[in-house]
Amino acid sequence: MKPLYYTLFLVIFSSVHYFVICQNVPSSRSSQASTLVGTRLYFFGGGASTEVWYLDLSNSFNISTPPWHNDIVMPVGYSFGTSCLSPIDNSTIYLIGGRTWMANTGNYLYLTSVYKFNSKTSQWTTPTINNFNYNFTTRNEIQAVINNNGKIFVFGGTNFNSQTILYYNDMNVLDITTMTWSTLNQSQSYITNVDYTATLLPNGNIAYVGGRSISSSKVVNITDMAKIQIFDTKSYTWSIKSASGSTIASRVSHSAVLTQDGNIIIYGGSLQNSSGYPVTVYSDIAVLNTSSWAWSIPSVSGTKAPPLTQHSAALYKNYMILAFGATSASNSYTNHVYILDIQNYTWVTTFNVPTTNPAK
Ligand SMILES: *[C@@H]1O[C@H](CO)[C@@H](O)[C@H](O)[C@H]1NC(C)=O
Ligand SMILES: *[C@@H]1O[C@H](CO)[C@@H](O)[C@H](O)[C@H]1NC(C)=O
Ligand SMILES: *[C@@H]1O[C@H](CO)[C@@H](O)[C@H](O)[C@H]1NC(C)=O
Ligand SMILES: *[C@@H]1O[C@H](CO)[C@@H](O)[C@H](O)[C@H]1NC(C)=O
Ligand SMILES: *[C@@H]1O[C@H](CO)[C@@H](O)[C@H](O)[C@H]1NC(C)=O
Ligand SMILES: *[C@@H]1O[C@H](CO)[C@@H](O)[C@H](O)[C@H]1NC(C)=O
Ligand SMILES: *[C@@H]1O[C@H](CO)[C@@H](O)[C@H](O)[C@H]1NC(C)=O
Ligand SMILES: *[C@@H]1O[C@H](CO)[C@@H](O)[C@H](O)[C@H]1NC(C)=O
């Protein structure tokens, strides 16, 4: 009996141990959606995952042991969508578009294009939307921004799981104060765009950087990084800014944050082959000054983050926090967190709770 008891004990002990490890650290993944709420940096899905994780930024930590917390899972597996925080209550997160996966059917399903997550109560709901444009169903590889009045702007994207792959150039707007959807006249937007970054500037313009488009002859064309598509959320008009300065390699699925002094900092991204898989993955930082519209490449110190694409980035005070993503063309994914101190472009291994916002 003794050996059997011992074996059982070991089995139980090991599974408990394994269970605990599984519960505390998310697995490697990419194409999650991410939103900062106060001191919690949330991550939704990634790959076919239904999981919701957040990093607690209220205490200092070593990036090799990030303070992960598990939250209530999503109603569906989720990737290639986008999320943003309601400025009305600073606690409701909207998830828009994306590929939604149902494990029990083993297929992509598009039951709803918008989910609501109450980060205070950890509750998921599917809101009723007035005037929803069903052309938006299946839309993914998009980035949304939300303005202070509660209008979410989502440009372009592509469909998925369809015989005909379509790229879009429409601007969809969801007003969360009335839960009303509108799709703007498309004829003014220059090109279709997918896998870009979208940054809302204080003057109400959205800067779309990078990504890829498709021509009328169905040729995929990667967007010139020096041609910044601008959408004015006040006049609902489009324009293009030609950026000067350093030449930045074209890319898709990079990440971007806006600093308080008006720089857009981008990291990584990739080139893709014609079936949409990463080919070349970048590990560079580039900075776009949104008043002079000049690109520059800062000199960076510290231990560099690896190449990353289909990752996410958030700015928390003086830290740009990168998480997850694909690290190479051979589809290896990471569950690591990488942090750049934007005050002197230094990669850090310790997150020290910042006491103030960056002074510069
Ligand atoms: C962070 O953790 C790693 C791995 O345990 C360790 O090598 C490193 O010294 C730690 N860094 C700091 C600043 O404590
Ligand atoms: C939401 O957060 C913003 C920025 O921190 C702040 O200006 C605003 O007052 C907050 N609104 C509410 C309802 O808490
Ligand atoms: C939906 O797409 C169809 C076909 O592309 C187009 O004719 C129609 O105007 C679109 N509807 C809206 C509301 O954008
Ligand atoms: C859409 O834009 C085109 C060109 O700017 C304009 O001619 C047309 O009247 C607009 N349509 C609507 C419904 O606003
Ligand atoms: C690709 O984009 C460039 C410049 O943005 C343009 O000159 C070229 O015609 C485009 N090619 C295709 C096939 O659309
Ligand atoms: C693109 O890359 C993926 C993953 O490496 C590979 O399976 C696929 O065959 C590639 N497609 C093309 C058209 O090269
Ligand atoms: C952006 O460029 C302008 C004009 O060169 C300069 O005055 C400003 O300091 C720059 N902004 C940042 C954040 O570097
Ligand atoms: C970067 O700035 C931080 C303060 O934000 C400082 O603690 C750190 O020593 C600086 N690192 C370098 C390499 O200058």
Side-chain angles (χ1 to χ4, degrees):
M1 286 303 287
K2 238 181 185 173
L4 177 63
Y5 175 79
Y6 183 68
T7 310
L8 277 179
F9 173 78
L10 262 189
V11 167
I12 290 165
F13 181 79
S14 328
S15 13
V16 166
H17 186 63
Y18 180 66
F19 180 72
V20 166
I21 286 175
C22 285
Q23 288 299 296
N24 286 334
V25 179
S27 58
S28 298
R29 64 195 60 200
S30 69
S31 306
Q32 74 280 1
S34 178
T35 291
L36 179 69
V37 184
T39 55
R40 290 181 177 186
L41 180 53
Y42 281 91
F43 301 93
F44 301 95
S49 174
T50 57
E51 293 165 1
V52 177
W53 293 89
Y54 65 86
L55 271 178
D56 178 3
L57 305 179
S58 58
N59 291 300
S60 300
F61 63 89
N62 181 329
I63 63 163
S64 66
T65 51
W68 287 116
H69 296 266
N70 224 331
D71 212 319
I72 303 296
V73 297
M74 300 187 65
V76 288
Y78 192 79
S79 62
F80 291 106
T82 178
S83 57
C84 49
L85 177 68
S86 161
I88 314 295
D89 63 13
N90 286 341
S91 64
T92 305
I93 298 166
Y94 288 82
L95 278 100
I96 320 278
R99 296 179 197 171
T100 55
W101 173 267
M102 291 294 239
N104 59 351
T105 64
N107 215 336
Y108 287 99
L109 286 189
Y110 295 98
L111 300 176
T112 176
S113 291
V114 180
Y115 290 94
K116 257 170 89 170
F117 179 65
N118 181 328
S119 63
K120 284 196 170 135
T121 60
S122 295
Q123 274 172 322
W124 286 98
T125 47
T126 53
T128 304
I129 297 169
N130 305 310
N131 198 33
F132 181 66
N133 177 358
Y134 287 91
N135 285 3
F136 189 82
T137 311
T138 79
R139 200 68 66 90
N140 60 93
E141 302 181 45
I142 44 180
Q143 295 290 323
V145 299
I146 189 163
N147 70 10
N148 289 334
N149 305 325
K151 282 200 172 118
I152 298 173
F153 294 85
V154 199
F155 174 50
T158 179
N159 61 356
F160 188 70
N161 202 24
S162 154
Q163 297 301 315
T164 316
I165 294 181
L166 296 174
Y167 284 50
Y168 297 90
N169 68 344
D170 53 352
M171 177 62 84
N172 286 277
V173 184
L174 173 61
D175 183 339
I176 63 164
T177 62
T178 57
M179 287 312 283
T180 305
W181 193 275
S182 50
T183 301
L184 307 187
N185 191 336
Q186 302 180 18
S187 56
Q188 289 184 66
S189 51
Y190 290 87
I191 53 169
T192 57
N193 207 351
V194 174
D195 294 326
Y196 51 78
T197 56
T199 306
L200 180 63
L201 306 177
N203 66 3
N205 286 349
I206 307 171
Y208 292 93
V209 177
R212 61 197 160 96
S213 61
I214 199 162
S215 69
S216 51
S217 55
K218 303 283 176 202
V219 176
V220 174
N221 204 5
I222 196 147
T223 308
D224 183 345
M225 296 293 277
K227 296 271 179 285
I228 316 293
Q229 281 177 283
I230 302 286
F231 181 76
D232 182 334
T233 60
K234 291 183 177 133
S235 62
Y236 284 13
T237 52
W238 286 94
S239 59
I240 284 198
K241 289 278 184 205
S242 290
S244 60
S246 308
T247 301
I248 310 299
S250 293
R251 67 198 63 206
V252 301
S253 305
H254 48 296
S255 60
V257 297
L258 179 69
T259 66
Q260 298 210 325
D261 55 3
N263 281 339
I264 294 174
I265 305 177
I266 67 154
Y267 184 77
S270 54
L271 296 176
Q272 291 183 337
N273 70 16
S274 56
S275 10
Y277 286 88
V279 183
T280 305
V281 184
Y282 294 111
S283 60
D284 57 333
I285 293 168
V287 178
L288 178 63
N289 179 323
T290 61
S291 66
S292 64
W293 295 99
W295 279 109
S296 59
I297 297 171
S299 79
V300 178
S301 58
T303 308
K304 275 184 75 173
L308 288 177
T309 188
Q310 301 177 344
H311 56 291
S312 59
L315 187 73
Y316 183 75
K317 300 198 176 170
N318 56 307
Y319 289 127
M320 180 176 180
I321 305 175
L322 310 178
F324 301 107
T327 55
S328 74
S330 59
N331 280 327
S332 19
Y333 302 105
T334 183
N335 60 355
H336 287 184
V337 169
Y338 300 96
I339 301 182
L340 180 75
D341 185 337
I342 62 157
Q343 295 188 99
N344 47 18
Y345 297 107
T346 303
W347 290 107
V348 299
T349 54
T350 306
F351 171 90
N352 285 311
V353 175
T355 47
T356 53
N357 281 322
K360 71 167 189 182

